[in-house]
Every structure is written in C-alpha cells, then in structure tokens.
Amino acid sequence: MDKSGEYDFLNDLVRFASLAELERIISEYCEKSFYAQTVTLISFQRDTKPITLLSHILDRDLAEFFTTYYARIGFMLDPFYIVAFGEAEFTAHQLREIAPDKFKTSEYYAQYYAKTGLVDELGATIRLGPRIALHLSLGRLGGHGRFRANELRYFKQLSPIILNRLKAILKDPVDVPEMSNAPDLIERYQNMSEPSRSGLSRREAEIAALIVQGHSSRAAGLQLGISDQTVKVHRRNIYRKLQISSQNELFSLLVQDIRGG
Amino acid sequence: MDKSGEYDFLNDLVRFASLAELERIISEYCEKSFYAQTVTLISFQRDTKPITLLSHILDRDLAEFFTTYYARIGFMLDPFYIVAFGEAEFTAHQLREIAPDKFKTSEYYAQYYAKTGLVDELGATIRLGPRIALHLSLGRLGGHGRFRANELRYFKQLSPIILNRLKAILKDPVDVPEMSNAPDLIERYQNMSEPSRSGLSRREAEIAALIVQGHSSRAAGLQLGISDQTVKVHRRNIYRKLQISSQNELFSLLVQDIRGG
DNA sequence: TCGAAAATACCACCAAGTTGGTATTGTTTG
DNA sequence: CAAACAATACCAACTTGGTGGTATTTTCGA
C-alpha cells in the first residue's frame, strides 16, 4: 500500500490561505496518495445540525449518505461531536481513543457508521465559541488499514496549526451560521414520553443518551461517577416510562423523534 | 374502547365481489370501529418484492413508511412472509404465534416494525402458486390493545373464506405479476463477502438469515435440528468471514446489500 | 413542612452473545 | 489420493443486558 506523502500531505495542508485553496490541496493529495480517503471539514453546533464546509468523499453513494444521514441524525452520536463540546478547547484523536466501549456493536455503528465504509478516523476539533466548533476529519476506508501510531502523532502535531489557521480565516461573522433551537440528545429523551405519562428525569435522559451513544452500563456509570447498578436501575425506569424493553428500541425512539420533527 | 362490530366486520368482509368493493367495506368499518387500525392485502412473492394490492393505513407517515421500508427490506424479515412459503397451503396466525423468540429485541423490530406503531397483527396467507401467496393483515396500533383470544378465533374461521374468494377473483393472469430474480435472504448472505474472501456456506447463510430474523442461537438450532452450540460455532465463522463481530453488524450488512442492489 | 419523586446503591438471577478451544465425520476439489 | 473445508458437537469462560427486589438520601413542589 502506498503511503508515500503521508507527511507531505499534512505539511502542505498547513500552507493554505483560503478554504478554496485547502480544498484544492486536499483533492490533489487524495488522488495520488492513500493517506486518507475521506476528508471533511465540519462546523459543529451545539444542539443543532452541523454544517459541512468541505467534504472530500470520492464515493458518490457515501457522499450522499453523509449528507442524508450524518447531517440529520448521525452527528448526535458521533464521538467526535460529543468530545467537541467537552472541556478542552482543542482536541485531536483517533476514533478508537474516544469511542465508547460498545461503539462497534452499537445501533449507531451498525446503522450509520458501518454504512460509510470507514474503518478508522482521525479527528481534530477546535472551539470557535461556546456553541460552535470546527472539526477536521480524515478517514480510512475499508481495505486501507487503520491509521498507524506515527500517523496519529503527526496529526496531533499539525492539526492544531491547520485548525487555528482556519479559525482565523473563518472568523468573518458571515461564516458563523444562525443558531436554531433544535433539542440535543438529552432534551430529546426528556421530551419523548407521551403527554399522559411522566417523562424521563434529567438523569434518566442523560443515561439514555449515553446508552445510545454506545456506552455499556458500566461505562456510563464510570462517566457519571455512579455505580453500574445504579445505571441499571435507571435503565429499568427508562424502559418502563417509555414502554419499551430493550436498547434497540431506545435507539429506534431517537430516530423516530428526529425524523418526526 | 369500542369493539362493537368486531364480528360484523369480518362477516361483511366475506360478502365482496371485487377488490374495489373490499376496499370500500374496509374503509367504512375502520372508521366506525376500533377493531383494526390497519388493513393490508399483499401479494407475497418468493425471492422478490411484495406487491401491495390494498392498504388501509390512516396515518400518512405510517403509510409512507410502509411503502418505503417494508416493501423494500422489511418484508424479508416479516414472520408472516416467512411462514407464507412454508408447508401449509393456508395459514392464519396472531403475530405472537409465529414471531421468533427474540423478535421484540431484534434489529428488525427496533428499526422497522417498532416504527409502524403496531402492537399486534393478525395475518392470514393463502398460496396462489409455488412462488406467490396472498396475505391479509389486520393491525392494532399502540393504545388499542392486542387482539383477544376470541378475535383470533373468529379471524381463523373467516380469513380462509375471505382469502379463497380473493384467490378466485385474482386468478386472472393479469393480476399475477412478473417474477424477478432478486435473491432471497439466504442467497444474499451467501454472495455477500468480498470476492477475495471465501463466502458463507449454505448452512452458514441459513443461520445468518435466522439470526437476523430474530431467532436466538437456541431457537435457530431447534429449527434446524442441531445443537445451539453448533449454531454458535457457525456464528463465529460467519463473523470471521464477513469481518464483523456482532449481530447488529450482520443486520447492517443485509440492509447495505439490499440498498446497494 | 410534608410527601412524592428522583437519584443513589446493592444483591441476585437468568438469558444470551461473544470468544476461545477440541474433535469427528463427510464431501469436494485440486 | 490428499488436503481443505463444511457440518456437526461439546466444553468453558466471560461480558452484558434485562428483570426482580430492597433501601437510603436528596430534592423539590404542593
């Protein structure tokens, strides 16, 4: 497999002066090197849909899938999106570093992520404001192997430079889109039950969100600083209130909710 | 809940002379009685997509969902479809009688069936030929409760009469659609692996099909007359050959395959 | 302020999936 | 024919989900 130019790529990526130039560099490199098969630059917005600023996806079906599903539903369960609004101002990770413990067997993975054909991702995110962040993603398609340790290292060194330059370029307020009031994952679950029944409590909705993101009861407990037994109790109460009996249905309700409005 | 007319409905259903008249009777009754919220008449065809002859679904979203998903993917995993091409010439069942043991927690249930809002179904099927069958389905939406024992009993008595009359009406060859060569579930799994790798054996594909239909390892073993341990071995081999590691992914591959072609 | 609900925690049990291993018997195919 | 593979079977271990129960503390609204 030809990996020549894996460093040249990132090196050159640093020398751009506009979004258009960045796009040119990316498409040039993606054609002559196997370093990455997909490159996307996304504006993440807390509580509402992301905006794709740049998307280099050769496969047409995959590109369509990306705009159809990821932009509507998938992003909410994307580990990179979740990390984007965490504490750190800047983050750069390989997917495996931040994916929940059951990510690969989660409903999200099976229904959305697996369809992209991606086997690995490098993602970097820089906060532009309290509710907006810029995300750069490099993807490996099946058959090209995962990113290696040295590739990750180099990405972690250069991606902040790239994203900081982009931040400067995009600081024009024209580029910062309007906010809508679409509810986030937790709010969705809180408002989900039928009017007659009592809805999920804040905590229960938090746990529902973690579960659909692909966390096991144990992992969710660790993250919230509570026991996995407690998580199981919440699970039971969540299922009862929503009149369901499995994780699969919990995911199904989310998709219905998002589609419905 | 008003269940008056539950018998009148089926009684009147028997007195039709054409598809159009049947449709009129159904829509009349569905509006003044809660006996069934959805009534569909489908032409099942082995190995290819079903044809909806009549569909009384009040909810517009549900109706759209039905044509979008059920007609393309869902039917393959529909317990009634599976039973339709079994040994019996005629069958009439409540869903719970023929659903696989893990149906309610299956990926199919969560992704397709749950979205319909149905909580129960009565279905009757009559074989028109070796590769074609006629299916009548009555559905209960959430909030209307399941069909009761006496309703099922009456359905089992009257549905053969209705379907036999329909068979006579539809025997006109114009109504029997062309066959295509779309692969069935088992064939799909057999042809699924990448060209470079060896595909699933017949037996493995059979088991893959049973699993996505919602059978547990034990249930699949019982059905095939082999041990559940053997089913587990096949599972392992299936996962290895398809380079996956969970049931969720097995389902995902099917959906991809069907969408792709 | 009193009571209900929420949040926390722990225990036990069962079903099921996932992952290892070994072994026997046919069948197919190069 | 020999090697490879399919199909069968059994065992063991582990993880997780789902369900049942009980109990304590906190929070918040009527």
Side-chain angles (χ1 to χ4, degrees):
Chain A
M1 194 180 306
D2 178 17
K3 286 274 169 42
S4 73
E6 68 189 46
Y7 300 136
D8 291 346
F9 175 64
L10 286 171
N11 281 333
D12 260 34
L13 224 47
V14 174
R15 290 191 223 101
F16 65 97
S18 69
L19 210 57
E21 195 178 350
L22 187 65
E23 188 151 18
R24 192 187 51 73
I25 296 171
I26 288 168
S27 61
E28 210 170 89
Y29 267 95
C30 281
E31 261 145 52
K32 72 178 190 188
S33 140
F34 290 117
Y35 178 59
Q37 287 79 53
T38 70
V39 181
T40 53
L41 185 66
I42 299 173
S43 168
F44 279 155
Q45 300 168 91
R46 192 198 277 275
D47 304 347
T48 189
K49 286 185 281 194
I51 292 168
T52 306
L53 302 175
L54 189 157
S55 159
H56 189 273
I57 300 175
L58 283 178
D59 185 75
R60 186 174 298 177
D61 287 342
L62 176 49
E64 202 221 310
F65 175 83
F66 180 81
T67 54
T68 313
Y69 291 97
Y70 180 85
R72 289 175 62 196
I73 298 174
F75 76 93
M76 278 199 182
L77 302 168
D78 183 351
F80 286 110
Y81 176 78
I82 293 156
V83 165
F85 295 107
E87 285 169 23
E89 192 73 11
F90 175 86
T91 61
H93 292 290
Q94 191 170 15
L95 180 60
R96 50 163 65 161
E97 293 180 279
I98 56 168
D101 59 336
K102 306 216 73 185
F103 182 68
K104 274 208 64 176
T105 61
S106 70
E107 289 73 20
Y108 166 66
Y109 183 89
Q111 289 188 46
Y112 298 106
Y113 200 91
K115 289 191 185 59
T116 64
L118 289 172
V119 296
D120 200 8
E121 257 186 282
L122 297 183
T125 310
I126 190 169
R127 196 83 54 74
L128 297 187
R131 305 174 73 82
I132 190 164
L134 205 59
H135 175 63
L136 173 70
S137 159
L138 307 184
R140 278 273 165 80
L141 291 180
H144 295 84
R146 290 186 175 170
F147 289 99
R148 301 203 219 96
N150 58 340
E151 294 172 323
L152 173 61
R153 218 178 311 118
Y154 210 63
F155 179 76
K156 287 192 175 184
Q157 284 168 20
L158 287 195
S159 58
I161 303 174
I162 297 169
L163 283 181
N164 268 307
R165 291 212 54 190
L166 276 167
K167 184 178 174 180
I169 288 175
L170 294 177
K171 73 168 186 290
D172 182 358
V174 177
D175 292 316
V176 180
E178 292 295 310
M179 298 290 165
S180 86
N181 286 330
D184 73 357
L185 210 48
I186 295 173
E187 283 162 23
R188 280 186 187 277
Y189 274 114
Q190 274 201 283
N191 304 327
M192 199 170 276
S193 66
E194 292 165 33
S196 60
R197 316 193 136 255
S198 65
L200 299 191
S201 69
R202 175 81 194 174
R203 194 59 154 184
E204 286 164 344
E206 270 181 70
I207 284 166
L210 286 174
I211 289 170
V212 294
Q213 280 162 17
H215 294 271
S216 63
S217 293
R218 195 145 83 99
L222 277 174
Q223 185 148 331
L224 297 174
I226 60 177
S227 153
D228 59 326
Q229 297 292 341
T230 306
V231 175
K232 281 186 164 195
V233 174
H234 285 302
R235 254 193 144 107
R236 195 163 64 222
N237 295 333
I238 290 165
Y239 291 173
R240 180 176 40 77
K241 285 184 180 177
L242 298 178
Q243 295 180 276
I244 57 177
S245 65
S246 77
Q247 194 168 311
N248 249 336
E249 292 170 87
L250 193 64
F251 177 79
S252 174
L253 286 178
L254 176 67
V255 176
Q256 281 181 262
D257 188 66
I258 290 171
R259 277 196 217 277
Chain B
M1 196 180 306
D2 178 19
K3 286 274 169 40
S4 73
E6 68 190 47
Y7 300 135
D8 292 345
F9 175 64
L10 287 171
N11 280 334
D12 259 35
L13 222 47
V14 174
R15 290 190 223 102
F16 65 97
S18 69
L19 211 56
E21 196 179 350
L22 186 65
E23 188 150 17
R24 191 187 52 72
I25 296 170
I26 288 168
S27 61
E28 210 170 89
Y29 267 95
C30 282
E31 260 145 53
K32 73 178 190 189
S33 141
F34 290 115
Y35 178 59
Q37 287 78 54
T38 70
V39 181
T40 54
L41 185 66
I42 300 172
S43 168
F44 279 156
Q45 297 169 91
R46 196 198 274 275
D47 304 347
T48 188
K49 285 186 281 192
I51 293 168
T52 305
L53 302 175
L54 188 157
S55 160
H56 188 272
I57 300 175
L58 283 178
D59 186 75
R60 185 175 298 177
D61 287 344
L62 175 49
E64 200 220 311
F65 175 83
F66 180 81
T67 54
T68 313
Y69 291 97
Y70 180 84
R72 290 176 61 195
I73 298 174
F75 75 93
M76 278 199 181
L77 302 168
D78 183 352
F80 288 109
Y81 176 79
I82 293 157
V83 165
F85 294 108
E87 285 169 25
E89 192 73 11
F90 175 85
T91 61
H93 292 291
Q94 190 171 15
L95 179 60
R96 51 163 64 159
E97 293 180 279
I98 56 167
D101 59 336
K102 302 215 76 187
F103 183 67
K104 274 209 63 175
T105 61
S106 71
E107 289 72 20
Y108 167 67
Y109 182 89
Q111 289 187 46
Y112 298 105
Y113 199 92
K115 288 190 185 59
T116 65
L118 289 173
V119 295
D120 200 7
E121 256 187 283
L122 296 183
T125 310
I126 190 168
R127 196 84 52 76
L128 298 187
R131 304 175 74 80
I132 189 165
L134 205 58
H135 175 64
L136 172 69
S137 159
L138 308 183
R140 278 273 165 82
L141 291 179
H144 295 83
R146 289 185 175 169
F147 289 100
R148 301 204 216 94
N150 58 339
E151 293 172 325
L152 172 61
R153 215 178 313 118
Y154 211 62
F155 179 76
K156 288 193 175 182
Q157 284 170 19
L158 287 195
S159 58
I161 303 175
I162 298 169
L163 284 181
N164 269 308
R165 293 212 53 190
L166 276 166
K167 185 178 174 182
I169 288 175
L170 294 177
K171 72 165 186 292
D172 181 359
V174 177
D175 293 315
V176 180
E178 292 294 311
M179 297 289 165
S180 87
N181 286 330
D184 73 357
L185 212 47
I186 295 173
E187 283 162 24
R188 280 185 187 278
Y189 274 113
Q190 274 201 283
N191 303 328
M192 198 170 278
S193 66
E194 292 164 35
S196 61
R197 316 194 136 257
S198 65
L200 299 191
S201 71
R202 175 83 194 171
R203 194 59 156 185
E204 286 163 344
E206 271 180 70
I207 285 166
L210 285 173
I211 288 171
V212 294
Q213 281 162 17
H215 294 271
S216 64
S217 293
R218 193 144 84 99
L222 277 173
Q223 186 149 332
L224 297 174
I226 60 177
S227 153
D228 58 327
Q229 296 292 342
T230 306
V231 175
K232 283 182 170 196
V233 174
H234 285 302
R235 253 192 143 107
R236 193 166 64 224
N237 294 334
I238 291 165
Y239 291 174
R240 180 176 39 77
K241 285 184 179 176
L242 298 178
Q243 296 180 277
I244 58 177
S245 64
S246 76
Q247 193 167 309
N248 245 337
E249 291 169 88
L250 193 64
F251 177 80
S252 173
L253 286 178
L254 176 67
V255 177
Q256 281 180 262
D257 188 65
I258 290 171
R259 278 195 217 278

